[in-house]
Amino acid sequence: MDRMKEAEKSRRVHDMFGAIADRYDFLNHFLSANIDRRWRRACLREIEKRTAVSRPRILDVGCGTADLSLLFSRWGPVTGCDFCRPMLRIGAGKIAGGMRHEPVSLLEADALALPFSANSFDIVVSAFVMRNLADIERGLGEMRRVLRHGGAVGILDFGMPRIPFLAALYRFYFLRVLPRWGKMISGVDGPYGYLPRSVQAFPPVEELKQTVERAGFVNVEYKKLTGGIAILLVGNAGQG
Ligand SMILES: C[S@@+](CC[C@H](N)C(=O)[O-])C[C@H]1O[C@@H](n2cnc3c(N)ncnc32)[C@H](O)[C@@H]1O
């Protein structure tokens, strides 16, 4: 993607989340029947298996309204970054509401140019962000750069189930029901039509695993969650 198209995609994604920020949490939990919470917990469990540090420094890339940051704050101090200020504002409200354990600090930043020096974190996680990035390789490269050698990475996103009956049911929900309900509840046309399109355009998890490995991660494994509706990739930062 050339720089102009990248900038255009980033701007569209930024504006879209800005427009639905106030209703994002409700929509997320409602449209996924709360299963999204289970997926984030699965991410925490898998990352725990790969981390020996007792109080790790954690980065949540594209933290949005900070759900994953708050979950990981049970374990260590979290920095959440996102380029959409309205999403961060909602997250800041939840943090101020006392839902955290360890400190959580939020920062406005682009996942494609993270404002942290190399080796700053023991864990980098990111939920439902990758498919929105204008340049996935650059985003992964940035995650690798700020992670210390051996540190753990966890990436959660949507997938497309392949079990025939579930796939048909899911496609119907995803392509027909979700865009309409999303528009009805958020009052905004676009984002919930964009969601299925972006998931369909996203590489299959096997291919994504190779992209993650090329970015410098080792021991990369993936899990399909809820029959493949979500995917979780975990790995460790390789040498250099
Ligand atoms: C679907 S939301 C996920 C939010 C959160 N991680 C969660 O689990 O609910 C995607 C988030 O990624 C952010 N995002 C997308 N592209 C980004 C980029 N290039 N830099 C920083 N944040 C980005 C959006 O602003 C949005 O808050």
Side-chain angles (χ1 to χ4, degrees):
M1 205 185 282
D2 67 41
R3 287 286 158 134
M4 284 268 284
K5 284 194 179 142
E6 271 183 26
E8 166 62 18
K9 173 162 181 179
S10 286
R11 195 190 50 76
R12 257 190 300 122
V13 168
H14 172 276
D15 293 353
M16 193 177 70
F17 284 103
I20 58 164
D22 288 335
R23 280 146 290 181
Y24 175 80
D25 279 343
F26 170 73
L27 278 160
N28 232 4
H29 304 320
F30 175 73
L31 293 172
S32 76
N34 261 331
I35 298 173
D36 63 312
R37 294 185 203 269
R38 209 182 301 164
W39 296 335
R40 289 190 188 83
R41 285 199 298 271
C43 179
L44 175 65
R45 275 198 307 276
E46 290 303 318
I47 292 290
E48 275 173 340
K49 291 181 195 162
R50 287 172 176 258
T51 311
V53 183
S54 61
R55 189 171 176 262
R57 300 159 299 166
I58 301 158
L59 174 67
D60 178 8
V61 176
C63 63
T65 59
D67 274 358
L68 196 64
S69 299
L70 286 163
L71 181 65
F72 272 77
S73 75
R74 292 176 186 183
W75 193 13
V78 180
T79 304
C81 69
D82 200 290
F83 70 177
C84 181
R85 201 178 294 178
M87 293 287 275
L88 291 173
R89 193 173 28 79
I90 306 285
K94 283 150 71 174
I95 292 162
M99 291 162 71
R100 67 185 164 77
H101 301 254
E102 291 271 2
V104 178
S105 48
L106 300 183
L107 185 82
E108 193 176 337
D110 191 339
L112 301 182
L114 292 172
F116 309 107
S117 44
N119 311 317
S120 299
F121 297 96
D122 301 298
I123 292 169
V124 176
V125 286
S126 189
F128 310 108
V129 178
M130 281 299 127
R131 122 196 84 78
N132 295 300
L133 295 183
D135 185 338
I136 295 177
E137 279 86 0
R138 185 136 47 101
L140 288 168
E142 280 295 88
M143 290 165 79
R144 168 63 195 92
R145 183 182 64 78
V146 301
L147 197 54
R148 71 158 169 80
H149 175 226
V153 69
I155 296 164
L156 199 55
D157 218 311
F158 286 108
M160 272 293 180
R162 297 203 190 132
I163 305 162
F165 176 69
L166 181 64
L169 199 67
Y170 183 64
R171 288 180 89 80
F172 176 74
Y173 175 71
F174 213 49
L175 298 172
R176 308 253 169 219
V177 180
L178 187 130
R180 281 188 204 162
W181 284 12
K183 180 180 170 189
M184 217 160 60
I185 299 167
S186 71
V188 182
D189 197 5
Y192 288 87
Y194 161 82
L195 175 63
R197 282 199 305 279
S198 68
V199 173
Q200 283 180 314
F202 199 44
V205 66
E206 297 78 8
E207 208 177 295
L208 190 62
K209 176 177 182 273
Q210 290 172 11
T211 313
V212 172
E213 286 166 341
R214 278 199 303 278
F217 293 99
V218 295
N219 306 324
V220 180
E221 290 174 338
Y222 64 80
K223 271 192 160 178
K224 295 183 179 183
L225 308 175
T226 320
I229 292 176
I231 52 158
L232 171 63
L233 281 120
V234 287
N236 291 91
Q239 198 73 257

